[in-house]
Amino acid sequence: MKGKVTDHQERMADRVLDAESLHREHLVISLSGAHAYGFPSHDSDLDLKAIHIAPTAALLGLQPRHVPAERLEVLEGVEVDYSSNELQPVLLGILQGNGNYIERVLGAITVRALPELETLRPRVRAVLSRRIHRHYRGFAQGQLREWEKSGFRSVKKLLYVLRTTLTGTHALRTGEVETDVTALLEPYGFGEAHALVERKRRGERIELTDALSEQWQREVTRAFAVLEAADAASVLPLEPQPEAVAALEGWMLDVRRQRFGA
């Protein structure tokens, strides 16, 4: 996280994470949101996305529960948005193409992690499939509706549309997960959006001019077309391969065995 946030922001994040780590064992905690997407501003919140591992015995009882955790708090002027999901539903989501969960493992900025994360990552890469297209298309469409609600004015909402379409495009074409939109703009023909990134870095509520709004409404249509073309030409299989799914499940069972009675 060094270099991505200020020392003060990092201290506030540590306060939240130290407290939450008393309640659950985190496999990984990632810094997501604007910081991971390449366009943070001084007033961006800290969006912390985690995966935790429940004690195995707790999952074998009469009422097993995979309870998510959430916490939103402003500490000394820093908004910290923390959420965590249990390992099993996360891995199921990854098999279904859930980019939110995939990015926690492969694409965001790792803040804290157990050693097991390094053995999980290749297994997650191995189960990636074209199912991710549906997630990123749906996510981008949701962000487009949010941009429309702003009157097609919000630079932040526009960049979220571009980020989701281009992260999905890149994953489909290469099998690699890249959340930093600044690394994707040039390769996919959206280099002019670097100027939008610079605008957004001045603040969360920066708006577009009329001319830029009209221009980028056209360009967003092209971004969705680029995503559709990437699905048609994807290097990924249509579905996760059975042997890769079995390896992922085997990894999870090993993790559970190690924590039985913990």
Side-chain angles (χ1 to χ4, degrees):
M1 195 157 58
K2 289 291 186 184
K4 296 293 183 180
V5 301
T6 67
D7 290 342
H8 177 61
Q9 288 174 319
E10 186 163 8
R11 287 195 300 272
M12 297 307 103
D14 283 339
R15 278 173 55 177
V16 169
L17 297 180
D18 288 346
E20 294 301 322
S21 295
L22 296 175
H23 301 290
R24 61 195 64 86
E25 181 184 25
H26 293 109
L27 170 67
V28 61
I29 303 167
S30 298
L31 180 62
S32 186
H35 292 89
Y37 304 159
F39 45 81
S41 53
H42 64 92
D43 50 352
S44 294
D45 69 346
L46 297 183
D47 191 4
L48 300 167
K49 302 287 189 184
I51 303 168
H52 63 268
I53 306 171
T56 304
L59 301 175
L60 298 176
L62 291 175
Q63 294 180 313
R65 299 175 67 195
H66 301 280
V67 182
E70 295 183 350
R71 177 174 177 175
L72 178 61
E73 189 170 353
V74 178
L75 297 171
E76 298 182 22
V78 178
E79 183 175 324
V80 182
D81 188 353
Y82 159 92
S83 62
S84 185
N85 295 83
E86 211 281 323
L87 177 65
Q88 189 257 7
V90 166
L91 295 184
L92 280 178
I94 286 172
L95 291 176
Q96 293 160 2
N98 187 313
N100 179 16
Y101 292 153
I102 292 167
E103 290 175 13
R104 296 188 197 192
V105 177
L106 298 180
I109 300 165
T110 301
V111 177
R112 300 183 183 183
L114 294 178
E116 287 94 332
L117 180 65
E118 289 307 312
T119 56
L120 174 61
R121 281 174 167 160
R123 289 166 173 81
V124 168
R125 291 189 185 98
V127 299
L128 294 182
S129 73
R130 285 173 60 183
R131 289 178 177 178
I132 66 173
H133 170 255
R134 180 179 179 182
H135 168 89
Y136 281 105
R137 181 183 61 190
F139 192 4
Q141 287 171 338
Q143 294 302 321
L144 178 58
R145 288 191 291 271
E146 291 299 312
W147 187 40
E148 182 178 10
K149 288 178 184 177
S150 77
F152 297 109
R153 289 287 188 164
S154 169
V155 175
K156 175 183 176 179
K157 297 301 183 184
L158 168 56
L159 285 173
Y160 267 75
V161 178
L162 294 176
R163 200 292 291 187
T164 48
T165 53
L166 296 184
T167 293
T169 294
H170 190 68
L172 287 162
R173 287 200 173 271
T174 69
E176 297 295 325
V177 178
E178 175 59 71
T179 62
D180 186 342
V181 74
T182 65
L184 302 173
L185 295 175
E186 293 288 350
Y188 295 104
F190 293 88
E192 287 187 54
H194 283 292
L196 299 177
V197 172
E198 292 306 312
R199 281 174 172 261
K200 166 58 179 65
R201 286 173 176 166
R202 298 202 297 266
E204 290 283 295
R205 294 177 175 81
I206 297 296
E207 294 192 343
L208 298 163
T209 64
D210 288 341
L212 284 174
S213 177
E214 291 177 9
Q215 174 190 344
W216 283 101
Q217 286 178 62
R218 295 189 296 272
E219 289 294 278
V220 159
T221 299
R222 185 166 65 88
F224 277 94
V226 167
L227 177 59
E228 296 306 310
D231 182 44
S234 180
V235 300
L236 298 176
L238 278 171
E239 307 285 336
Q241 301 300 291
E243 62 275 15
V245 175
L248 181 65
E249 184 176 39
W251 179 92
M252 186 186 73
L253 291 174
D254 285 342
V255 167
R256 298 297 197 207
R257 290 187 190 101
Q258 292 165 15
R259 286 160 177 80
F260 185 78

